[in-house]
Every structure is written in C-alpha cells, then in structure tokens.
Amino acid sequence: MASFTVKSAQLCCLANAVRLLNVHRTKTTWCSIRSYVTEGENRIPKIYTKTGDKGVSSTFTGERRPKEDHIFEALGNTDELSSAIGLAREFCLDSGHTFTDQLDRIQCILLDIGSNIATPRSSARESHMQRTRLTAQPTADLETWIDRFTVELPPLTNFIIPSGGKSSAALHFARTVCRRAERSVVPIVRSGEADPEVAKFLNRLSDYLFTVARYAAMKEGREEKIYKKTYQRMWHQP
C-alpha cells in the first residue's frame, strides 16, 4: 500500500473544515459551509498557517502529532477519496446521470468522517466526541441505494475490469481509493480511536461505487470489460 502524506495546507483546510462543520451543521444532508467571504466580513482567513512547517500538525482535540501519524494518513486517504469522487461526479454530470446528488451527499459525509478521524478518543473530551460522532444512517442510506441500482442491473457472472466509459471508469477508480482509505482507517477503529461506523461506511461505500459504476455503464450503453484468463506463451530456444 502506497504511503500518502497530506500537505500542510490540506491539513489546515481539513482541520478548519472539522471545526466549521460541527459549528455550522444544519438539519439538512447537504454541505452548508461557505468557502468564501461575503461583503462586509472583515476577517479573511489565510490558507497557510506555517504551523506545519516542522512536520507536525494538530488534531481536532489540539494534540500535536507528526504528519506521518496514522491519523493523518487516514485523513489524507479520505481527502483523496473525496477528490476522486468529485472527479467521477464531473464525468457523471457530463453524461446526464441522475445519481450525482448521492455523490454530493457522500462527499459531505466524508467531511464528517474526517472530523471523526481527526478526533482521537485518547485525547478527546466528551464535547469533542458528541460533535464528531457518526451515526449508522449514512451506511443504511448506501445500502438502500445499492439495492435500488442492483434491481436494474444484469446479474454479475464475471469479474469486471474497470471500464465502461469515463463515468464508470472514474467511479471504479474512486472505489479503489475507497478501499485504501478503509485499510488505513481500520487500525484506528480497532484501537478505539475512531467510531466503528467510520469503517462500516467506507466498507459499504466501496460496494456502492462498484454498483453505481456498473449502473453508469449500463445507462450509457457502454460495454464492461470482463476478466478472461490468459496463458503465457512458452517460447523454447532451438
């Protein structure tokens, strides 16, 4: 598994998102954080803080840890996953798919997951945990969506190679990033530093991305490549 280190600015943005996400969370399922400053607001936050120049960064609890810490690797993988989904979403929009609102919602939930990961239980107060707790509802929603798509899909009888057009291939790519994010989160959950629902959601999300990739290919009338066993030709020297 390739290692992934998040840049200082990315960690800063994610840390700010963690704080804002829990301060400005609404009752809707959509992202409500503004990334801009409206007229009349005097304070314009800088994207750089220089606090990570020496290779350490802060968790939501205020704890300083080296950037190669498993917490920040999991945060980086989750951030990369959201970016991969965002790219896939653009292809899906271009193709006129109607499930892009689900991808929007998933990206918002990934911010919730980031806030949970960034709040290690070993240094968290009860107020921290209450503000970053993840419920089982997002995973249940994924299962509902998976079931709906599966009903329309032809039975799966072969291993599928990522293919089926740009939308489908991009969703497959996001699925593989999701698997890496899940692998980096599992040790954190196992140690009790993050909610079990975090790992459950990522596990189900990879299933969702696989299913919706097939659905995108079907809707676009694109052929999915299937795995065919190949045999290495043996050449004999005369």
Side-chain angles (χ1 to χ4, degrees):
M1 177 176 62
S3 61
F4 183 87
T5 303
V6 188
K7 296 293 185 182
S8 299
Q10 290 175 301
L11 285 174
C12 173
C13 290
L14 189 52
N16 288 336
V18 167
R19 292 172 174 81
L20 289 171
L21 184 64
N22 293 289
V23 170
H24 298 290
R25 179 175 294 161
T26 67
K27 292 183 179 180
T28 65
T29 58
W30 306 105
C31 295
S32 59
I33 302 169
R34 289 187 290 110
S35 59
Y36 55 89
V37 178
T38 60
E39 185 177 356
E41 291 180 337
N42 297 321
R43 185 181 178 185
I44 301 177
K46 292 184 177 181
I47 192 64
Y48 59 89
T49 64
K50 302 183 181 181
T51 59
D53 289 352
K54 294 183 179 180
V56 294
S57 192
S58 295
T59 66
F60 181 42
T61 62
E63 181 184 2
R64 300 288 288 177
R65 294 192 181 196
K67 291 191 176 184
E68 68 270 22
D69 188 90
H70 59 289
I71 292 290
F72 297 123
E73 181 171 359
L75 282 173
N77 289 336
T78 305
D79 186 26
E80 187 179 353
L81 170 58
S82 182
S83 296
I85 291 175
L87 178 61
R89 176 185 176 277
E90 293 302 313
F91 286 124
C92 292
L93 282 171
D94 290 344
S95 298
H97 291 296
T98 59
F99 55 78
T100 53
D101 60 329
Q102 296 175 0
L103 300 180
D104 291 337
R105 184 174 176 183
I106 287 167
Q107 286 184 291
C108 290
I109 293 169
L110 287 174
L111 271 178
D112 287 332
I113 284 178
S115 68
N116 191 280
I117 295 170
T119 311
R121 291 339 188 217
S122 58
S123 59
R125 297 190 298 271
E126 181 59 31
S127 59
H128 288 135
M129 291 189 286
Q130 288 180 354
R131 292 169 66 185
T132 61
R133 185 168 290 121
L134 189 71
T135 70
Q137 189 58 51
T139 302
D141 290 340
L142 286 178
E143 292 172 352
T144 298
W145 297 339
I146 291 170
D147 291 342
R148 289 175 182 171
F149 289 129
T150 301
V151 169
E152 298 187 45
L153 289 170
L156 186 62
T157 58
N158 295 281
F159 288 110
I160 293 176
I161 297 173
S163 56
K166 293 180 180 179
S167 299
S168 179
L171 287 163
H172 276 297
F173 176 74
R175 171 183 59 82
T176 63
V177 177
C178 183
R179 285 298 191 192
R180 173 151 52 85
E182 181 190 3
R183 289 193 298 271
S184 63
V185 161
V186 165
I188 301 173
V189 171
R190 186 177 292 128
S191 66
E193 291 279 68
D195 286 348
E197 286 300 327
V198 170
K200 290 180 183 179
F201 178 83
L202 292 175
N203 187 30
R204 209 70 78 252
L205 178 56
S206 61
D207 294 331
Y208 166 85
L209 292 169
F210 177 80
T211 303
V212 79
R214 296 193 64 216
Y215 184 81
M218 181 189 72
K219 284 296 184 180
E220 293 179 27
R222 303 296 294 264
E223 182 181 358
E224 293 178 296
K225 292 183 179 180
I226 63 172
Y227 164 77
K228 295 179 181 179
K229 188 174 181 62
T230 58
Y231 296 89
Q232 183 178 6
R233 185 183 297 273
M234 301 299 294
W235 295 97
H236 298 281
Q237 294 295 332

